[in-house]
Amino acid sequence: DVGKKRDEARTKTLSEYGVRILRFSDLDILNNIEGVYEVICKETERDNAPSPHPSPLKRGEVDNV
């Protein structure tokens, strides 16, 4: 299906920038929001380390490395 292929392409592109996607079903959001919140909290706590992918430079910024 077209939507699924688009999601996969977007996920692949975002992961190349170090972004991890968490997916939850509509039912989990409606019926288990506390569980969803716990998963999000655990994932963000786990990721307190600096990203291996630095933020892109803004227009006019110079890389000092």
Side-chain angles (χ1 to χ4, degrees), residues 1-64:
D1 121 347
V2 175
K4 188 172 181 175
K5 287 182 182 182
R6 223 180 279 146
D7 282 350
E8 290 170 357
R10 182 176 46 241
T11 297
K12 181 180 180 221
T13 300
L14 289 171
S15 69
E16 290 170 0
Y17 288 98
V19 176
R20 187 173 56 250
I21 305 299
L22 300 176
R23 297 192 190 278
F24 302 95
S25 72
D26 293 344
L27 288 176
D28 279 337
I29 300 296
L30 292 171
N31 299 324
N32 187 21
I33 194 69
E34 293 85 9
V36 169
Y37 177 74
E38 279 184 38
V39 170
I40 294 170
C41 287
K42 286 179 185 175
E43 290 297 318
T44 56
E45 288 172 5
R46 191 180 96 177
D47 286 344
N48 281 336
S51 172
H53 304 281
S55 298
L57 293 175
K58 292 181 183 172
R59 189 174 188 173
E61 285 185 326
V62 178
D63 190 356
N64 291 326

